[in-house]
Amino acid sequence: MRKFIFLLALLFNLPGQAQPAADGQIKWVSAELPPYLWLQKNAPQGYVHELITAMSAQLGRKPDLSVYPWARAVKMTKDGQTYGVFPLDRTAERETSFKWLIHLTSTPNRFFGKRTMTAGSINIEIASLEQLRGLRVGIIRGSSLEQELHAQNFRNIRFEKDYQSLLKLLQLGGLDAIYSGYPVMVSAIEEFGYRLEDFNTGLTMGGAELYMASSLGVSEEEERAWRRAYENLQKDGTVQKLQKKYFSWE
């Protein structure tokens, strides 16, 4: 067992085990945000995990990826010199704080609620924007969705460190709804042991353009290297194959 853990640590940095990256090379950080990244028996899985593995092979490197709470991963990349983070929503507020290396996908943001309602609760599927404003709405701490909700005059916003915590709070009645990117929420429901049929989806107020982004200190040479690696994977069909694997339900 110890030998297995040692071999795993050689391939990927386990949560909380970040090590200094080689000079100038991007060190990728993210949170558990399926289908892009999640941990299964402490081993990373997901769409961007596989992309980073394949791109690292193109660059002749070992994958360098660590998992943190989302707000911390974003802050590390914004304040650091050679970090990369994903899937980061490209917003006006973030535009000049990161380098936007690789566009991953465009995704709608939607409200999710429990299909089974208690007396006096609101059916998310048919709720109006005005009705939704009065609910306790949960999002991930550090998410750009906070600005989107504030812009629509939502005031009762609750923050959690990850989707597992949000789903648990919704099931226990501590939240009325979760506002999330659609692919992440659908994948999180499945990966964390819930059933899609137990949830309703409601209004969408906007969408997100998700990127693999980096610290401003990353060199142009390093930027070009990762972009070329991604373009090579597009040309050989790897990107399309992974998209089909992880987003086949869209």
Side-chain angles (χ1 to χ4, degrees):
M1 182 64 181
R2 289 183 178 179
K3 182 178 180 181
F4 170 77
I5 295 174
F6 173 74
L7 292 173
L8 181 63
L10 290 177
L11 291 173
F12 299 100
N13 293 314
L14 301 180
Q17 299 297 316
Q19 301 296 325
D23 288 346
Q25 293 184 4
I26 291 177
K27 176 175 182 55
W28 294 100
V29 293
S30 188
E32 286 197 76
L33 298 168
Y36 304 99
L37 175 70
W38 72 95
L39 297 174
Q40 192 171 79
K41 295 183 179 179
N42 225 20
Q45 315 285 324
Y47 175 61
V48 183
H49 153 65
E50 291 207 41
L51 277 182
I52 287 175
T53 300
M55 285 191 285
S56 297
Q58 292 264 335
L59 298 174
R61 306 177 188 175
K62 293 189 299 183
D64 194 348
L65 171 62
S66 298
V67 180
Y68 293 94
W70 179 243
R72 184 177 176 189
V74 174
K75 181 175 172 56
M76 288 170 67
T77 307
K78 182 179 179 181
D79 296 344
Q81 289 296 306
T82 55
Y83 285 103
V85 65
F86 63 86
L88 191 67
D89 183 12
R90 188 170 186 170
T91 65
E93 293 79 12
R94 288 172 170 167
E95 182 64 31
T96 59
S97 298
F98 301 88
K99 290 188 174 183
W100 304 94
L101 304 187
I102 296 164
H103 182 257
L104 292 173
T105 189
S106 303
T107 179
N109 302 322
R110 298 184 72 94
F111 288 92
F112 288 77
K114 292 192 296 184
R115 187 176 296 273
T116 303
M117 297 176 294
T118 57
S121 61
I122 294 173
N123 185 345
I124 295 296
E125 193 170 22
I126 60 174
S128 67
L129 185 58
E130 188 61 36
Q131 288 175 312
L132 291 168
R133 286 192 182 105
L135 302 183
R136 299 166 299 170
V137 178
I139 61 172
I140 294 295
R141 187 175 292 112
S143 170
S144 63
L145 297 180
E146 180 181 1
Q147 287 74 39
E148 190 173 336
L149 289 170
H150 280 310
Q152 292 293 338
N153 296 316
F154 282 77
R155 294 293 177 259
N156 199 353
I157 304 171
R158 310 292 178 89
F159 302 91
E160 290 293 330
K161 67 177 182 178
D162 54 38
Y163 274 84
Q164 198 163 10
S165 300
L166 282 175
L167 284 163
K168 183 177 180 180
L169 199 57
L170 180 65
Q171 289 297 102
L172 292 174
L175 290 175
D176 302 308
I178 296 171
Y179 192 56
S180 168
Y182 186 77
V184 172
M185 186 62 177
V186 170
S187 296
I189 288 169
E190 294 181 328
E191 292 302 327
F192 297 131
Y194 298 91
R195 302 189 311 164
L196 281 173
E197 56 266 34
D198 292 336
F199 296 84
N200 279 334
T201 59
L203 288 176
T204 177
M205 297 191 302
E209 298 296 330
L210 301 180
Y211 280 76
M212 296 175 71
S214 75
S215 305
L216 294 177
V218 169
S219 69
E220 292 185 5
E221 181 182 0
E222 181 73 354
E223 282 184 75
R224 287 194 296 269
W226 284 97
R227 287 197 177 107
R228 281 197 304 268
Y230 182 76
E231 289 167 3
N232 289 339
L233 296 179
Q234 285 182 308
K235 291 175 182 177
D236 71 13
T238 299
V239 170
Q240 294 81 355
K241 182 173 69 175
L242 291 176
Q243 287 174 339
K244 185 177 180 180
K245 176 179 177 180
Y246 287 100
F247 300 96
S248 59
W249 39 262
E250 287 190 316

